[in-house]
Every structure is written in C-alpha cells, then in structure tokens.
Amino acid sequence: MRFDVFCSLAQTPRPGVGLPPHAELLNEFLDQAALADDLGYGCLWVAESHFSTRVQQGHASPAVPHWTGEIGLNTDVLQLAARVFARTRRIDVGSAIMNVVACGGPLPAAERVAAALAWHGLDKTESRRLNIGFAGGRFDFIARATGVAPRTEWEEAAWPQVRSAVTAEAAEIFVRLLSGEELGSDQVTAPRLMPDAFRDRDAYDRIAAQAGAGDDGIPLERRWTFDTTGLVPGFRPELLRLVGGTHDPALQIRLNQFAPVRVFNLSITRPEVIEDTHRRMAGAYHPAGGPWRRDYMPRTVFVFLDATPGLSRERRRAAARERAEATLAAYWQAMDGTVDPAKVAGSADNALVGAPEDVAAQIVERFHPDDRLMLWFDFFAPDADTVTDGLADFRQQVVPLLAERGVA
C-alpha cells in the first residue's frame, strides 16, 4: 500500500484565534511538506481554488454562503510545486485538481504545465514528478467569472449537462496537447448531449425541443476554436503524470485513447464503483503507461488519529471520534448551513478514526493492499501541530502495524 498526503490549504477559523493570516498558513504548509518528505510519503497533493470565497458570498446564489474564511489559498499548483521541490528531496507534487475549464481554458493550462516541467527538469538528475490531476472545477462561480457560462436559454436550462460536456472538451484538448500532438479544434471530439446525460427522457426531450434537436443528441457549439497549434517542445515527459478527476466512464476511456490518464476517486465511493473502475481501466488504460495498477487510482480519506502518550486506547479512540464528529459537523455547517446528524456520523464512519491500532485495523478492513491513499490531515485542523503530529504518528505508529500484517 502506498501513502500520499492531501492538503486542502484552506483558511478556516481556529479555536481562540479566529482566521489565521494567509502568510502563516502558507509557511505552515511548506513546513508540513518538508516533514512529509522526511517521513517518506510519496506525493503531496494540493487542492486548487480560484477567487475569493468571501466575495462570492455576495452573489445572488452563492455556492458556499456559510463558509468562514477562504476555501483554498492555492490558485496555481505550478508555482506551489516549485517552492515545495526547493524544500524537499524525494516527494512528488500533485494537483487535486487543476481547473482546465476556467482561467483561460485548456490551451494556456497545458502550456503552463509544459513550462513548469521544462524548468523542473533542467537538472538531469531530477526524477520527482508533477502529478497533474485535472477536471472542470467544483464551483460554478469560478467558471462563470472567467467567461464559461451559458450562451443560450436552453444551455442555461441544461447547464449541469452542458458544463460536463465543456469539461470533457477541455480535458481532451489538455491531454492531447501535453501528449505532444499538433492539434486544431476541428480535430477535437464534437461536443454533443445525449439522452443518457439527463435524469429522464422527458428532461432530455424538453431541452432538445428548445435547442431544435432530435433523438440523435443535442449538438453544442465548441467552447474553444483554434487553428492547429502545439506546445513548445522541451520538457521531459517522464516527469509528468496525468490524473483525470472524473467519474464519467466514457470520458475515462476517451482520454486514454490519447495518453495514459489515471483516475481520482474518493474513499466514500461505493466499493462496487471502485471495483468497476479498476476493471474498466485495466482494459482502457493507454498502453504507453504499462499495465493498469490499483495504485494508479489514488483515494482521499480523512484521518483523525490520536496517539497521545499515556492515554489508554479507549481514551484515544474516544478523543479521535469526538474530534472527527466536531470537525465534520463544522464542515457541513460551512458548506450548506444545515447539520444532519446522520450525515456527520456517516462521514466519520468513512474516515480513519481512532488510536493507531484502530486506524491500522480500519485500513486493512476497508482497502486493498495495493491501494494508494491520499491521507487528509489538515481538514479543519485546529492548529498546525495537529497536522504535523498526524503526519508523524501515522508513519511512525500506524505504518509499522500495517507492515506486521504485510500491508505496508
């Protein structure tokens, strides 16, 4: 089993402190990156966000009306990666995820990645990779702020479906440019909404009638039109890994027609969906990437670990559970303003919670020995020490227990 670290790099209130300054959080993050490197974690994945959470709360329909602080401070994983690589020796850096729809779209995104890799690879002994997880972004206000918005009344009515098609268009352009193709927009798969993109046939028929389309799908005007272009050559492709942040089976297969593209997934995803994805990718994964492996699909998981010296296992377990439920309750409150006790308890059950012995047992029970876990320690953490203690305690106390069971 392989262990990575996931960082949300969010600004959230701390008990007795309030909102910590951005500079303080960025410095803490760099310290955590250095520690994760020293402890032997494989990759440091960092969330990406754009534009102020606070400012969008003034919109007519804000995406996150109750969040205090900023959802994310990382707007550019490439600048962040350069700082991390300068402070570390072994650890890879990943984006989770890079938005290839907003902020200019897939063409400038691909060019920025190529440029970062060219600088990163100047040292011929450098082997640490950029793992570029990419998708269309979680919050619609970011896309709309950068010009990706409905163009017609029927696109507004079917915006979730249209936005998925836009994401697929962007993802294909991004992957094909980074794989070295010279590409024009007329060579990109034409976007089209099919009936199975809608919750039922009646919903499709209503939109198709507005768009003047029939049973063979609703054609969409391309979002990006461009003459044949290509990236300036010069980066070492072995330093790049592409990871698609999509649960769409058709898009996973489509992207792997052009280059090896791995897949993100969540630990709360149903086991049958996880296994279906592995079976599908075993047949679809681009041959240039070699045979498909389970660790090619990293999976996020919250970690609430208590290894306080001098406490019994029962007291550690209770303390970890209390922190998990309080933290997850704060998260759901910030996200939607309502706290569903069943939702909180369910989220805690999907996390890794307890003393080191508990967490090791939960990993053995829930995950395959060949999985890759993105361990999330900084989620609504009350202070920096909670994160660094979690990083160290997991490697020093949980991993040896897993090794005894032949898992790590």
Side-chain angles (χ1 to χ4, degrees), residues 128-296:
R128 292 174 295 173
R129 293 178 177 87
L130 269 174
N131 294 262
I132 300 297
F134 62 94
R138 180 176 184 181
F139 298 116
D140 193 40
F141 77 88
I142 297 172
R144 291 178 184 248
T146 57
V148 181
R151 297 166 293 192
T152 64
E153 288 187 10
W154 76 260
E155 281 195 359
E156 181 71 68
W159 184 236
Q161 292 80 12
V162 173
R163 191 167 171 228
S164 293
V166 170
T167 296
E169 180 184 355
E172 180 178 330
I173 294 168
F174 182 74
V175 167
R176 293 177 70 176
L177 286 175
L178 281 169
S179 67
E181 283 195 51
E182 295 179 358
L183 182 69
S185 56
D186 59 351
Q187 299 168 270
V188 178
T189 305
R192 179 179 291 268
L193 300 184
M194 302 304 293
D196 59 4
F198 294 80
R199 66 181 183 275
D200 55 49
R201 183 62 194 224
D202 288 344
Y204 171 80
D205 289 340
R206 287 193 298 272
I207 298 300
Q210 292 182 49
D215 293 343
D216 59 345
I218 306 170
L220 287 170
E221 181 184 348
R222 298 181 189 275
R223 286 282 162 168
W224 295 278
T225 56
F226 53 96
D227 294 329
T228 301
T229 190
L231 302 178
V232 175
F235 69 88
R236 293 161 49 196
E238 70 271 18
L239 299 181
L240 172 66
R241 285 177 177 154
L242 293 172
V243 187
T246 175
H247 294 276
D248 180 356
L251 183 55
Q252 293 168 355
I253 295 170
R254 173 172 154 188
L255 296 178
N256 273 282
Q257 296 173 6
F258 309 110
V261 180
R262 303 179 184 188
V263 181
F264 275 127
N265 223 312
L266 302 176
S267 60
I268 59 175
T269 302
R270 298 191 311 277
E272 61 270 24
V273 175
I274 294 290
E275 297 310 315
D276 284 347
T277 304
H278 281 301
R279 282 191 290 269
R280 178 169 56 254
M281 294 304 295
Y285 192 54
H286 194 284
W292 175 256
R293 294 174 16 182
R294 289 188 70 95
D295 65 293
Y296 288 176

Side-chain angles (χ1 to χ4, degrees), residues 48 77-78 95-100 109 112-113 132-137 174:
E48 176 187 294
V77 74
L78 305 175
S95 58
I97 52 77
M98 174 183 286
N99 190 326
V100 296
R112 289 194 299 269
V113 170
I132 300 297
F134 62 94
F174 182 74

Side-chain angles (χ1 to χ4, degrees), residues 268-350:
I268 59 175
T269 302
R270 298 191 311 277
E272 61 270 24
V273 175
I274 294 290
E275 297 310 315
D276 284 347
T277 304
H278 281 301
R279 282 191 290 269
R280 178 169 56 254
M281 294 304 295
Y285 192 54
H286 194 284
W292 175 256
R293 294 174 16 182
R294 289 188 70 95
D295 65 293
Y296 288 176
M297 185 169 69
R299 303 174 62 187
T300 59
V301 59
F302 299 128
V303 182
F304 300 97
L305 173 63
D306 194 301
T308 305
L311 293 184
S312 67
R313 179 177 175 181
E314 289 72 21
R315 291 184 63 187
R316 292 177 176 183
R317 178 187 298 151
R321 183 77 186 188
E322 182 180 357
R323 183 164 68 89
E325 293 187 352
T327 299
L328 290 163
Y331 172 73
W332 289 118
Q333 181 73 33
M335 290 302 292
D336 61 16
T338 62
V339 180
D340 181 347
K343 182 185 290 185
V344 173
S347 298
D349 288 339
N350 284 316

